[in-house]
């Protein structure tokens, strides 16, 4: 009973994943700019430029990962499809495209595509060991080329990682986190690489690396001033007023931004209504 219940729950979770993920992704894409703007408002003002630069660099390497992975899929899809078509395997092009598309998940593409191709080859080329061996050789060559050249050179080059570090990341993340680790190894390593390069640049600018420590600023001289009673309290009140004015300015900017967004939404809605009216008039 427990096994059946576990299987049913697993199926429900799998279906829910495929239903929920597209909905969440849609709303994330729809409100992405607003979310980024809200997060940007929460950044500490002094460190905001540095945080923005790091986020921009991480975005660049993740975009490079996607472009590199797309190029790898294109190359593998072309190789598998042409090779299996030359061998004469039925549905060879479709199997090649399937194997290449799943290759973004390490080992899944070659396992699923290879098993499907070999199964079809056994039914189609029974008694022809040369043809079956040719199908096996196509996927063996594809896996070797992908693992030793395409992934390290193309994907690693796009994300700014040396092939050795890329293969090491796949091994470490795969060992620590299993299948999920293989999925996130390259993008996470690329993001960590950005942070490590930033830290290395700061280290090279520090006195620990240069050996030339900048002396601290001299302490200001202590002044003794005789002032009327209540001067310290007056300065404190002025500081509190300045703080309240700064907070009010920030809130005013937020209100102006919210008003601008509402005006844009209203303008778009009015534009759509006018288009609909013109279309109705033409009909």
């Amino acid at each position: 009973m427990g096994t059946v219940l576990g299987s049913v729950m697993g199926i429900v979770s799998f279906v829910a994943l495929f239903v929920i993920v597209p909905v969440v992704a849609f709303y994330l894409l729809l409100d992405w700019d607003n979310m980024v703007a809200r997060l940007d408002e929460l950044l500490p003002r002094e460190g905001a430029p540095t945080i923005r630069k790091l986020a921009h660099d991480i975005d660049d390497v993740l975009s490079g990962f996607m472009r590199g992975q797309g190029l790898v899929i294109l190359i593998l899809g072309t190789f598998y499809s042409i090779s299996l078509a030359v061998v004469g395997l039925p549905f060879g092009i479709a199997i090649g495209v399937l194997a290449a598309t799943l290759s973004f998940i390490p080992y899944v593409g070659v396992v699923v595509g290879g098993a499907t191709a070999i199964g079809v080859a056994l039914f189609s080329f029974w008694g022809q060991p040369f043809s079956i061996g040719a199908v096996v050789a196509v996927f063996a060559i594809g896996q070797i080329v992908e693992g030793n050249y395409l992934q390290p050179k193309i994907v690693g080059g796009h994300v700014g990682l040396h092939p050795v570090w890329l293969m090491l990341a796949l091994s470490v993340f795969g060992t620590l986190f299993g299948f999920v680790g293989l999925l996130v190894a390259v993008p996470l390593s690329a993001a960590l690489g950005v942070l490590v390069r930033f830290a290395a640049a700061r280290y090279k600018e520090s006195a620990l690396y240069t050996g030339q420590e900048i002396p601290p600023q001299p302490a200001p001289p202590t002044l003794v001033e005789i002032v009327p009673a209540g001067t310290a309290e007056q300065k404190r009140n002025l500081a509190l007023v300045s703080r309240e004015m700064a907070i009010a300015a920030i809130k005013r900017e937020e209100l102006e931004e919210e008003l601008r967004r509402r005006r844009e939404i209203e303008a778009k809605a009015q534009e759509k209504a006018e288009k609909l009216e013109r279309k109705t008039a033409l009909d």
Side-chain angles (χ1 to χ4, degrees):
M1 184 65 181
T3 305
V4 175
L5 183 60
S7 301
V8 172
M9 291 300 296
I11 295 173
V12 171
S13 300
F14 183 78
V15 174
L17 180 66
F18 273 86
V19 173
I20 293 173
V21 168
V23 175
V24 174
F26 171 77
Y27 280 106
L28 282 177
L29 292 174
L30 186 64
D31 294 333
W32 181 255
D33 293 335
N34 293 332
M35 291 171 58
V36 172
R38 292 294 184 184
L39 289 176
D40 186 77
E41 292 174 359
L42 298 177
L43 295 178
R45 296 299 94 186
E46 185 177 354
T50 301
I51 297 174
R52 291 192 192 104
K53 183 180 182 303
L54 289 174
H56 179 71
D57 293 342
I58 291 174
D59 180 69
D60 284 344
V61 297
L62 293 180
S63 300
F65 166 73
M66 297 301 296
R67 290 192 298 270
Q69 194 64 57
L71 183 58
V72 169
I73 290 174
L74 180 62
I75 294 172
L76 287 177
T78 304
F79 169 73
Y80 285 143
S81 299
I82 294 177
S83 300
L84 294 177
V86 169
V87 172
L89 183 71
F91 311 107
I93 295 177
I95 294 173
V97 170
L98 174 66
T101 303
L102 294 177
S103 66
F104 77 95
I105 307 174
Y107 307 113
V108 171
V110 68
V111 169
V112 174
T116 305
I118 293 172
V120 174
L122 289 174
F123 281 102
S124 304
F125 303 137
W126 187 259
Q128 302 178 33
F130 177 78
S131 298
I132 298 174
V135 172
V136 175
V138 166
F139 280 92
I141 293 172
Q143 178 62 22
I144 292 172
V145 171
E146 178 191 1
N148 294 279
Y149 181 77
L150 295 180
Q151 287 285 353
K153 295 290 185 181
I154 296 178
V155 178
H158 277 80
V159 300
L161 290 176
H162 192 276
V164 174
W165 289 111
L166 189 62
M167 290 187 286
L168 180 62
L170 288 170
S171 301
V172 171
F173 278 88
T175 302
L176 294 177
F177 306 107
F179 180 73
V180 177
L182 292 175
L183 286 179
V184 301
V186 178
L188 280 184
S189 300
L192 289 175
V194 171
L195 299 179
V196 169
R197 286 191 290 270
F198 172 77
R202 286 300 180 92
Y203 163 69
K204 289 184 177 180
E205 296 173 359
S206 67
L208 182 63
Y209 178 78
T210 61
Q212 299 177 354
E213 186 173 356
I214 301 175
Q217 292 287 343
T222 303
L223 299 177
V224 178
E225 183 180 2
I226 300 175
V227 296
T231 302
E233 183 67 22
Q234 183 180 3
K235 289 183 177 179
R236 181 176 179 277
N237 292 334
L238 289 174
L240 289 174
V241 170
S242 299
R243 177 177 174 273
E244 294 297 331
M245 290 177 63
I247 294 174
I250 293 173
K251 290 183 177 179
R252 185 179 67 251
E253 291 177 359
E254 292 178 352
L255 289 174
E256 290 176 352
E257 181 67 19
E258 184 66 24
L259 182 61
R260 184 186 63 80
R261 291 196 189 112
R262 290 184 179 180
R263 287 175 178 173
E264 290 180 355
I265 294 173
E266 291 175 358
K268 290 180 181 178
Q270 185 177 0
E271 184 180 354
K272 289 182 180 178
E274 291 176 354
K275 289 182 179 179
L276 183 60
E277 289 178 0
R278 287 197 296 266
K279 184 178 179 181
T280 305
L282 290 175
D283 294 340

